Amino acid sequence: MQDDPVGYSNIRDCVVQITMQDREHKNTFSGRLITGLSEAFERVRADERCKAVVLTGYDSYFASGGTKESLLQIQDRKISFTDSNIYGLALDCPVPVISAMQGHGIGGGFAMGLFSDFVVLSQESVYTTNFMQYGFTPGMGATLVLPKKLGFSLGQEMLMSAKTYYGRDLKDRGVPFPVLRRAEVLPYAVELAENLAEKPRISLITLKDHLVSDLRAELPSYIEREVAMHDKTFHQPEVRDLIQSRYAGG
């Protein structure tokens, strides 16, 4: 359904496409988007035919991180980003996941995409872990996955500076992912998924389990430390002011 914030389709035999398409909220982590993503990955887990997943967004948006309302609720100590485990959905998925980031990846949205087994970026899109622009330290496992996937120096720079980078800038910095024109991102990801789907499912699951075992083992302790940093940084009055001002008119 067009109104569904998360689309689920079998685009090829054994290949599933999960599409984040919450146009109302520009793919920020609204309650409906979180629920839709969780349900979609549960369907993948239950589908014994599925061998690969392509995770993508719509138009110029991949995923945009927390909503204004959720950030203010965290600031008020009413919720935590750990209340839902969307950051770990791709990592915990038994079969390989390809993040086709055809659009902007912002904050937790970028971190979530990096937890996939394969990442494809768009030259024209922007990517940022902009937590520190709001005055609070990163969450969503970003402090683990950025240095791990991008290299320590670039990962640290993105986390601490909170700067915005175009995909073409990251390509120039040597990120180890394909960086393509936006229109080429999804077809490339689908072709990669089809290549994976030629392999036996049990072999794909077994190899993924082995390759991501260290990342899965490390993530809980990083999440615990990120929550502890939030206890120190998220509840400052200036953080609330920054959230309010940066979302003004948005």
Side-chain angles (χ1 to χ4, degrees):
M1 293 179 61
Q2 193 172 16
D3 187 46
D4 195 330
V6 177
Y8 187 99
S9 58
N10 291 284
I11 54 173
R12 300 286 188 276
D13 289 343
C14 309
V15 176
V16 166
Q17 180 175 320
I18 297 173
T19 306
M20 296 174 284
Q21 53 192 22
D22 188 353
R23 294 173 182 271
E24 179 183 356
H25 301 99
K26 296 181 178 178
N27 277 357
T28 53
F29 292 144
S30 64
R32 293 181 68 226
L33 185 70
I34 291 171
T35 298
L37 280 173
S38 300
E39 291 175 349
F41 275 95
E42 279 301 314
R43 287 181 66 179
V44 168
R45 186 176 291 276
D47 184 355
E48 295 185 356
R49 299 173 304 150
C50 181
K51 294 182 179 182
V53 175
V54 176
L55 176 65
T56 194
Y58 76 90
D59 297 347
S60 60
Y61 287 94
F62 175 71
S64 303
T67 65
K68 176 182 177 180
E69 292 73 21
S70 65
L71 294 180
L72 289 174
Q73 285 182 306
I74 295 173
Q75 210 273 336
D76 288 336
R77 302 180 189 271
K78 293 179 179 178
I79 64 171
S80 169
F81 75 86
T82 57
D83 291 348
S84 64
N85 182 27
I86 55 169
Y87 52 85
L89 289 175
L91 182 64
D92 292 337
C93 184
V95 298
V97 180
I98 305 162
S99 278
M101 294 198 213
Q102 87 311 325
H104 310 315
I106 300 169
F110 184 50
M112 180 185 71
L114 290 182
F115 276 109
S116 292
D117 304 284
F118 301 89
V119 175
V120 189
L121 302 181
S122 158
Q123 295 175 5
E124 307 97 314
S125 298
V126 297
Y127 304 100
T128 179
T129 46
N130 59 342
F131 305 91
M132 292 284 279
Q133 283 188 355
Y134 297 91
F136 58 84
T137 49
M140 298 286 289
T143 60
L144 169 63
V145 75
L146 263 77
K148 186 78 72 174
K149 292 292 184 77
L150 303 179
F152 180 81
S153 295
L154 180 57
Q156 183 184 49
E157 178 184 313
M158 291 190 74
L159 290 167
M160 296 197 75
S161 72
K163 285 168 39 177
T164 294
Y165 302 75
Y166 282 98
R168 57 181 176 267
D169 300 327
L170 294 177
K171 182 177 182 179
D172 290 342
R173 296 290 296 272
V175 293
F177 313 128
V179 183
L180 310 175
R181 290 181 301 198
R182 178 173 289 144
E184 299 173 339
V185 170
L186 185 58
Y188 181 97
V190 170
E191 183 178 354
L192 176 55
E194 290 174 335
N195 174 277
L196 294 170
E198 295 172 359
K199 283 72 175 175
R201 185 172 185 268
I202 186 62
S203 299
L204 290 168
I205 292 173
T206 301
L207 182 56
K208 173 169 178 171
D209 278 343
H210 170 71
L211 292 173
V212 303
S213 60
D214 289 346
L215 198 58
R216 285 174 175 168
E218 289 179 273
L219 182 57
S221 66
Y222 273 78
I223 295 296
E224 184 178 350
R225 282 179 277 173
E226 287 179 353
V227 170
M229 288 193 293
H230 276 187
D231 285 340
K232 292 181 179 179
T233 65
F234 217 119
H235 311 296
Q236 307 168 80
E238 63 194 278
V239 168
R240 188 175 192 85
D241 294 339
L242 285 166
I243 294 171
Q244 295 280 16
S245 64
R246 290 186 178 276
Y247 274 88

